Structure formats: structure tokens, C-alpha cells
Amino acid sequence: MIPAPAFLSNPERFMAFSRWAAPMFGALAVGLALAGLWLGFAAPEDYQQGDTVRIMFIHVPAAWMSMFVYACLGVASFLSLVFRHALADAAAQAAAPLGAAFTALALITGSLWGRPMWGAWWVWDARMTSVLVLFLFYVAYMALRAALDDEAKAARAGAILALVGVVNLPIVKFSVDWWNSLHQGASVFRADGPTVADVFLYPLLLMALAYMSAFGSLWLVRIRGEVWRRRAEALALRAARA
Amino acid sequence: MFAMLDFDASPYGAYVWPAFAITALVFIGMIAGALAHARHWRARTETLRKTAEGAEAARRPPAQDLGKDIAP
């Protein structure tokens, strides 16, 4: 069996860990976001994009998080499906609404950048279409979980759907390389280093870390909520049987 | 100190500020949703636990006063 971190394999230890880790990640997110926004608004206008370059500081981290959260959903679903780990299933269920929110943010802020720069709110470009498909996977996962009353069946069906959706992640990432795309290619995570000027790169990275910390905090809070929900349902069932 | 910050987004203010406003709203929604979900189920669990403990105590037979039997 794959060794899980101790706090993942024991709900009591997870609850003790998350009690202090969630607010700590939240405070870290606020600090990083303030620093990122400060540098972002101190940066000069881009010579081509003008002030719309500031949308990049909130759009690009949201787009990265949409994929990262789906990867977390995929790993948690795999652990839930293969090892029937209740906390892994709770983690998967807790990640979905956050991932959907980040993906929606990426689509909306991208659209608000695209209108002045491309002259269109939306184009059926490979990157944008694959991100829309990613959003639909999140929505389908949540709808499937909500539609099934049997918790075990919902967990299994949701995990299978989530794992099918993992196929979409490389499509999102490499869509700009595989197809002719209006969307720009990778400019930060490249083998030959970032092509973004430092004055834009630093606020972008700070905002990305802020989004990551915020996700860490909110994910832990949502998993705690899931643990309590399952405890409440177990207690209600026991009371009904007595 | 704030003079070094450039909040003049013209002529793109109509796109830049809504993007930041929507981002703020979505984050507020995520925070409120996560906290409300956790607090609701924590309170529900505590209520059910207290109810279960009360029911368990009611089912338990009353403790016998052993002193009565052995008293002269």
C-alpha cells in the first residue's frame, strides 16, 4: 500500500493538524496577496497590453490553480477508489467546489482580458475550450456526488469520473503547443527559463503562492467540514437505529 | 508611500476593475462557503452527540444503593 502521510491516514490527527494549519495558510495567503498586489500595482504598464497586464496577476494564478486542484482531486480520487480511504474521499469532495471556483475565475478574468486585447470575449480556442471542459468536469463531479444518496456509490462513481477527467489536464497544458492557438504559449514554466520580465514575474509568482496558500487553507477547512458531516450522519443513523 | 502605485487603469479600467472585483467576490464566496459548511456540520455533530449521550444515560439502569442492603 502507498504510505500516506500520518495525518491523512488518521482523522483525529488530521483534525488536530488542520486546526492550526488552516488559519496559518490563510494568514500566509493574505500576506502574500498584499505583497503581490503591491508589486503588481507598482509595476509599469506593459508596452503592448497597457494596464490590462494587471489582470494577468489574478488570471494566470487562477488558471494554474484550476489544473493543480484537479490534480489534487485526481490523486485523492485514486486513493479513495483503490484504498477505500474515507479521508481521501472527503479530500476529493472538498476540492471540487474550490477547483470549480478557480476555473470559473480563470475563464471570467481571461475573458475580461481578451475583450480589449483580442477584440472578443470568447473564442473557441484549444486552450479556452479545454479549460471550459475542465470546468464542466468539476461541475459534473459535484452533480454526480449530489445525485447519489448512497455515499459509497457516490464516492466510487465520482472517483471514476474524476480520473477520466485527468486525461484533460495534459490537453489543457499542451493545447497551445499541439494546436494553432490564439492563446499565448507557456512563458513562466519553460525549459529555458521564464520569458516574462522580472517586474511582472515577481508579483505573478507572489500571487500564485497566495492562491496556493488560500487553497491550502480552504481545502483543509472544507475537509474538516466533510469529516464533521460524516460524523453527524453516522450519529443520526445510530440514533435512528436505537 | 501609495504614490508609487498606479491605480489609473485608463483606458482599460472597464476591464481591469471588474476582473479584480469578481476575483474578490469569488474569494469571499469561497471563504464564506467553506466556513459556513464547516461550522454547520460541527454544530450538528455536537448536537447529535449530546442527544446520543442523553439517550445513553436514560437507557442505563439507575445505580444501586449498595449501602442499603448491607446496612444493619
Side-chain angles (χ1 to χ4, degrees), chain A residues 37-38 41-43 45 48-52 54-55 58 98 101-102 105 108-109 112 115-117 121 211 214 218 221-222 224-226 228-229 231-233 235-236 242, chain B residues 1-2 4-12 14-20 22-24 26-27 30-35 37-39 41-42 44-46 48-49 52 59:
Chain A
L37 288 172
W38 183 278
F41 281 97
E45 292 175 14
Q48 280 183 320
Q49 301 177 48
D51 272 303
T52 61
R54 302 191 207 289
I55 296 177
I58 49 174
L98 300 173
F102 280 119
L105 261 185
I108 294 166
T109 54
L112 283 163
R115 182 68 183 88
M117 291 297 106
W121 294 105
Y211 274 48
L218 294 171
V221 172
R222 289 203 76 98
R224 286 171 70 83
E226 269 307 304
W228 277 314
R229 184 183 69 79
R231 282 180 184 172
E233 285 179 357
L235 283 167
Chain B
M1 194 165 76
F2 289 93
M4 62 189 287
L5 301 180
D6 178 14
F7 291 117
D8 179 14
S10 58
Y12 300 116
Y15 304 102
V16 173
W17 296 119
F20 277 87
I22 289 167
T23 300
V26 169
F27 267 93
M30 281 197 287
I31 294 164
L35 289 176
H37 177 256
R39 282 179 185 165
W41 287 110
R42 183 184 190 173
R44 181 96 180 109
T45 305
E46 291 305 320
L48 285 167
R49 190 174 286 155
R59 270 202 303 275

Side-chain angles (χ1 to χ4, degrees), chain A residues 5-212:
Chain A
F7 68 86
L8 264 184
S9 58
N10 181 320
E12 288 307 320
R13 255 180 273 169
F14 169 79
M15 294 302 266
F17 162 79
S18 58
R19 191 174 299 138
W20 61 264
M24 192 199 73
F25 279 126
L28 188 64
V30 171
L32 287 165
L34 288 175
L37 288 172
W38 183 278
L39 287 182
F41 281 97
E45 292 175 14
D46 182 72
Y47 80 104
Q48 280 183 320
Q49 301 177 48
D51 272 303
T52 61
V53 73
R54 302 191 207 289
I55 296 177
M56 291 297 110
F57 305 137
I58 49 174
H59 165 71
V60 176
W64 287 343
M65 289 310 297
S66 69
M67 288 195 288
F68 177 75
V69 176
Y70 202 92
C72 292
L73 174 61
V75 170
S77 295
F78 175 79
L79 293 174
S80 162
L81 192 64
V82 176
F83 302 114
R84 305 284 164 96
H85 202 296
L87 253 183
D89 180 51
Q93 202 171 0
L98 300 173
F102 280 119
T103 313
L105 261 185
L107 290 168
I108 294 166
T109 54
S111 183
L112 283 163
W113 179 88
R115 182 68 183 88
M117 291 297 106
W118 293 344
W121 294 105
W122 179 265
V123 285
W124 291 100
D125 171 86
R127 169 61 65 83
M128 291 158 79
T129 306
S130 56
V131 173
L132 180 64
V133 170
L134 182 66
F135 178 71
L136 294 176
F137 265 109
Y138 278 120
V139 173
Y141 177 86
M142 290 188 288
L144 184 61
R145 297 283 315 222
L148 297 172
D149 286 333
D150 185 325
E151 192 86 46
K153 276 185 189 165
R156 209 173 313 135
I160 291 168
L161 177 65
L163 289 172
V164 170
V166 169
V167 173
N168 189 42
L169 289 183
I171 296 174
V172 174
K173 167 73 181 142
F174 297 110
S175 55
V176 287
D177 303 322
W178 292 343
W179 293 284
N180 284 327
S181 173
L182 190 56
H183 196 283
Q184 69 190 66
S187 51
V188 177
F189 298 112
R190 294 164 55 97
D192 55 349
T195 55
V196 181
D198 286 352
V199 74
F200 299 124
L201 182 64
Y202 294 144
L204 179 61
L205 293 178
L206 280 171
M207 290 301 285
L209 288 173
Y211 274 48
M212 183 77 86

